[in-house]
């Protein structure tokens, strides 16, 4: 197990990277006042330089600006999809664990049914029913990512049902609904929040996979998946920067959010952390 200084370094480095990413997507577009779709064929596929730190793409567009706009769209998809999936998964898992019996069995069979279909295949099916755009991609990611949260919340609720405070509430005449809302649901919210944080980078990768396959966002709209997809021909020609920088902007936020989630997980489970240190 890492010592406290290592954990502290991981926390601050992850928080710094996350803060820089959020600052870039919130501050750069309003300050730049530039059109990320502006085409300049005289400057196409220029290597990184002081004037274009990330270089230019095959249409002469500034790759740094397009990467920031693409990260903005991918983060929007990841955050909204993770929020929707967490809410759905928390409600389903809490209902299954608190009500038990036939309701539990029915809801878990629904979860098993969704889980039997590969996520990417189900996501492609959902996106194919609509025109390319941000909201169909968000719906696709949300539909395929609430299952793990439902299972986590259900297992936590089943564990909490055997606690003394729940027995005391039942002895006091509290209904199942009141116990679920007043006692069980608040106790599982930290776990649900952790699942949501971990789901954001997963949702970003899912959106990138759909866009890379040409099924996500429109090809003219900057997203990290679209940028990687359009850079394939440039990579084969030896131009590495149109692929490298969008890929890095996928990997770096993922590692930063994973670091923050790891610290959060350690704080939620201090007993498990102390056992690992023995």
């Amino acid at each position: 197990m890492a010592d406290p200084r290592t954990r502290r370094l991981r926390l601050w480095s992850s928080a710094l990277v996350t803060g820089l990413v959020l600052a870039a997507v919130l501050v750069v577009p309003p300050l730049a006042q530039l059109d990320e779709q502006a085409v300049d064929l005289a400057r196409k596929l220029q290597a990184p330089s002081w004037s274009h730190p990330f270089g230019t793409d095959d249409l002469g567009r500034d790759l740094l600006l397009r990467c920031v706009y693409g990260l903005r769209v991918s983060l929007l998809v990841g955050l909204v999809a993770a929020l929707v999936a967490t809410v759905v998964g928390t409600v389903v898992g809490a209902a299954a664990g608190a009500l038990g019996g036939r309701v539990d069995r029915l809801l878990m069979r629904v979860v098993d049914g969704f889980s039997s279909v590969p996520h990417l295949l189900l996501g492609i099916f959902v996106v194919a029913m609509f025109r390319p755009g941000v909201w169909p991609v968000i719906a696709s990611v949300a539909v395929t990512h609430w299952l793990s949260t439902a299972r986590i919340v259900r297992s936590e609720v089943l564990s909490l049902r055997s606690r003394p405070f729940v027995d005391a509430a039942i002895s006091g005449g509290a209904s199942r609904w009141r116990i679920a809302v007043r006692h069980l649901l608040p106790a599982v919210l930290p776990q649900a929040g952790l699942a949501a944080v971990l789901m954001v980078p997963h949702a970003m990768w899912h959106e990138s996979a759909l866009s890379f396959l040409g099924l996500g966002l429109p090809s003219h709209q900057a997203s990290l998946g679209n940028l990687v997809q359009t850079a394939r021909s440039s990579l084969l020609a030896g131009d590495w920067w149109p692929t490298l920088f969008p890929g890095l902007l996928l990997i770096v936020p993922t590692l930063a959010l994973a670091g923050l989630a790891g610290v959060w997980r350690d704080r939620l489970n201090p007993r498990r952390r102390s056992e690992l240190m023995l």
Side-chain angles (χ1 to χ4, degrees):
M1 187 68 180
D3 59 57
R5 286 183 298 178
T6 303
R7 291 198 300 270
R8 196 177 304 114
L9 177 62
R10 182 178 63 175
L11 171 62
W12 285 109
S13 59
S14 299
L16 176 61
V17 172
T18 304
L20 290 175
V21 168
L22 292 177
V25 299
L26 293 175
V27 174
V28 171
L31 291 181
Q33 295 294 321
L34 296 174
D35 183 10
E36 49 95 14
Q37 298 283 4
V39 175
D40 187 357
L41 295 178
R43 301 188 177 205
K44 70 176 184 176
L45 291 176
Q46 290 186 353
S49 61
W50 286 109
S51 57
H52 299 286
F54 284 10
T56 60
D57 63 5
D58 56 347
L59 294 178
R61 297 171 294 192
D62 183 75
L63 197 57
L64 172 59
L65 193 60
R66 285 184 62 77
C67 282
V68 171
Y69 274 92
L71 181 60
R72 195 181 196 183
V73 173
S74 297
L75 272 177
L76 172 65
V77 172
L79 289 171
V80 177
L83 178 62
V84 174
T86 301
V87 171
V88 174
T90 301
V91 172
V92 172
L99 299 178
R102 293 181 179 178
V103 175
D104 184 19
R105 291 192 294 271
L106 174 62
L107 292 177
M108 286 302 100
R109 295 299 78 76
V110 172
V111 171
D112 292 340
F114 274 93
S115 300
S116 64
V117 182
H119 284 181
L120 186 58
L121 182 61
L122 182 59
I124 291 174
F125 175 76
V126 174
V127 170
M129 295 190 299
F130 304 95
R131 291 183 178 180
V134 173
W135 294 110
V137 174
I138 290 175
S140 168
V141 177
V143 164
T144 57
H145 286 71
W146 61 273
L147 309 172
S148 59
T149 304
R151 288 197 175 100
I152 292 172
V153 171
R154 175 181 176 269
S155 64
E156 287 292 321
V157 170
L158 290 176
S159 175
L160 290 168
R161 283 175 58 182
S162 60
R163 301 289 177 84
F165 69 89
V166 175
D167 293 335
I170 295 174
S171 300
S175 64
R176 287 188 176 184
W177 174 258
R178 182 177 179 84
I179 292 172
V181 173
R182 293 291 300 273
H183 300 288
L184 300 180
L185 190 58
V188 301
L189 285 181
Q191 293 287 352
L194 175 60
V197 173
L198 290 171
M199 202 182 303
V200 171
H202 194 184
M204 291 174 60
W205 282 89
H206 197 92
E207 177 274 323
S208 298
L210 290 174
S211 297
F212 184 80
L213 294 173
L215 299 170
L217 301 177
S219 58
H220 68 274
Q221 185 171 4
S223 76
L224 296 180
N226 277 341
L227 291 177
V228 174
Q229 196 273 339
T230 56
R232 289 184 301 171
S233 58
S234 302
L235 182 63
L236 294 175
D239 301 319
W240 49 268
W241 56 92
T243 305
L244 174 65
F245 293 112
L248 286 178
L249 288 183
L250 264 177
I251 295 172
V252 171
T254 298
L255 295 177
L257 289 173
L260 291 176
V263 175
W264 189 348
R265 184 180 59 247
D266 290 343
R267 298 199 175 201
L268 283 179
N269 301 292
R271 180 181 302 176
R272 181 173 181 271
R273 183 178 64 203
S274 62
E275 290 173 352
L276 292 174
M277 293 177 66
L278 291 178

